[in-house]
Amino acid sequence: MNILGIDTSCDDTSAAVVSGGEEILSSIVSSQTEIHNKYGGIVPELASRRHIEMIWPVVHEALSAANISFDAVNAIAVCCGPGLIGSLLVGCGFAKAAGYARNIPLVGVNHLEGHIFSVFLEKDKPEFPFLSLIASGGHTSLFLISGFGQYKELGRTRDDAAGEAYDKVSKLLGLGYPGGPQIDRLASEGDSGAFDFPRAWLHESFDFSFSGLKTAVKLVVGKDAGLLGNPAFLADIAASFQASVVDVLVKKVEWAIIKTGIRTVVLSGGVASNSGQRKKINEMGREREAKVFLPSPALCTDNAAMIASAGYYHYLAGDTAALDLNPRAYLKL
Ligand code: KG4
Ligand code: ZN
């Protein structure tokens, strides 16, 4: 069964064809980084305009790369939120039109559900129940996943998402957008103990908070703007900042293992591709005798294969959408 997945929730136009919910026949991601880089963050209006230009070429490329036509598509799974509303509208509008014109069933998928299901595109799949940490540019949440459609949110960020903190700190350091990969690279050259940045433990809670950390970095950087020209200073800031984010994310997962007794952990979202994060969660997993699943970096960041993967299970459950499917900027899982 072939599912055509579409994701336009943020700044990437993505389409993919997934067979049987787990075999990626094609996955195309058209990045808008160049457009938004000079603004140090995503400009929503520019993002939606670019999606309009790219949606058909990207879907066409996904079908060609999978070597199929619309005739061989059994369902179209489209991300219907959460995300930027102007961006979501493009993907949903396209999916509804294509579904109607070609008489193909439509499935609406929550973006977070897509991130959770990205791991099922890998060979090594987790068994239910598992703990799922989603850390991306728009979200940081810890879920308990008991089965398909059975999701319990244990905690979420009270302010910035982890990826958002990476992006904002990168902007402060003059490193550009997206900040995660730049800081990740720089951090490997710096001293993580150089600055004692705060960790918001928020005791007795699985919630997260990263805005204080961002302010702490701002205060250090603000003391002497000349330091930004010093590569060693930048590397130390990056390493110390990253150590703080990673410590908190990993510790919260560890607490969740202790509290729930669940020893299977899945990471997803752009921040899950961070090298420091991957190393530390694996170390913690070994100590706690927990099985840690880390999708490959290309499946951690936004892609449409994950939407097709989650869409497959909706389709099997008969959960299809009508043509009045409307995207929502805020959509609870
Ligand atoms: O999942 P994603 O592609 O989009 C959202 O759903 O938000 O995540 C993008 C976020 C950005 O904030 C980006 O800076 C961050 O993931 N990111 C990283 C890394 N690669 C991407 N953060 C830390 N380290 C990385 N290697
Ligand atoms: Zn995402």
Side-chain angles (χ1 to χ4, degrees):
M1 183 186 303
N2 294 324
I3 309 284
L4 169 66
I6 295 177
D7 186 283
T8 60
S9 56
C10 195
D11 62 334
D12 291 323
T13 316
S14 318
V17 179
V18 171
S19 167
E22 56 181 35
E23 189 194 349
I24 301 174
L25 301 185
S26 67
S27 181
I28 310 297
V29 180
S30 169
S31 165
Q32 300 185 2
T33 300
E34 261 178 48
I35 295 173
H36 304 288
N37 196 356
K38 57 177 174 285
Y39 302 102
I42 298 163
V43 183
E45 178 64 20
L46 296 181
S48 20
R49 284 172 191 269
R50 187 66 177 155
H51 283 309
I52 292 172
E53 286 168 3
M54 294 311 295
I55 186 73
W56 172 234
V58 166
V59 169
H60 187 258
E61 196 179 336
L63 292 173
S64 306
N67 208 15
I68 63 166
S69 71
F70 266 121
D71 294 337
V73 172
N74 300 93
I76 301 176
V78 63
C79 171
C80 55
L84 298 171
I85 192 64
S87 293
L88 289 164
L89 275 165
V90 179
C92 282
F94 181 92
K96 287 197 282 187
Y100 178 70
R102 307 302 299 242
N103 203 18
I104 303 170
L106 192 66
V107 177
V109 175
N110 185 302
H111 187 76
L112 296 183
E113 196 176 24
H115 276 304
I116 292 166
F117 277 77
S118 60
V119 70
F120 290 101
L121 295 162
E122 298 288 4
K123 244 200 193 114
D124 201 12
K125 299 176 198 343
E127 278 179 19
F128 297 113
F130 60 81
L131 296 166
S132 173
L133 175 71
I134 308 171
S136 71
H139 312 275
T140 297
S141 289
L142 183 59
F143 282 92
L144 195 170
I145 313 294
S146 307
F148 175 73
Q150 294 171 265
Y151 316 128
K152 181 175 179 211
E153 194 174 42
L154 302 177
R156 57 159 61 199
T157 184
R158 295 181 183 175
D159 40 59
D160 291 346
E164 190 180 354
Y166 269 98
D167 295 335
K168 286 178 174 169
V169 165
S170 174
K171 194 173 176 181
L172 275 174
L173 301 180
L175 298 174
Y177 175 86
Q182 320 254 27
I183 292 183
D184 194 359
R185 186 180 40 77
L186 261 184
S188 63
E189 297 158 15
D191 171 9
S192 61
F195 298 94
D196 188 17
F197 287 136
R199 275 104 169 123
W201 297 119
L202 307 176
H203 280 288
E204 301 293 321
S205 164
F206 291 116
D207 281 353
F208 304 88
S209 167
F210 296 104
S211 65
L213 168 61
K214 175 195 63 192
T215 306
V217 174
K218 196 173 178 176
L219 287 175
V220 171
V221 172
K223 276 190 189 146
D224 181 359
L227 285 171
L228 289 179
N230 178 348
F233 172 78
L234 290 181
D236 284 350
I237 291 267
S240 305
F241 162 78
Q242 181 160 300
S244 169
V245 176
V246 169
D247 272 359
V248 171
L249 291 176
V250 173
K251 208 67 184 167
K252 294 270 167 170
V253 174
E254 189 174 6
W255 290 348
I257 291 174
I258 296 165
K259 179 121 191 197
T260 64
I262 294 171
R263 303 197 114 68
T264 306
V265 171
V266 176
L267 257 60
S268 63
V271 179
S273 59
N274 182 271
S275 55
Q277 178 76 33
R278 293 171 88 88
K279 190 166 165 256
K280 191 104 188 205
I281 197 97
N282 275 327
E283 283 168 10
M284 185 278 288
R286 275 193 294 276
E287 268 166 36
R288 291 280 165 200
E289 294 179 2
K291 244 187 137 192
V292 175
F293 292 81
L294 298 169
S296 58
L299 287 173
C300 287
T301 47
D302 283 353
N303 65 87
M306 68 186 198
I307 301 297
S309 173
Y312 170 77
Y313 296 95
H314 279 286
Y315 184 65
L316 287 188
D319 179 20
T320 52
L323 284 178
D324 61 358
L325 172 72
N326 268 328
R328 298 233 298 271
Y330 298 96
L331 184 63
K332 222 174 162 315
L333 182 61

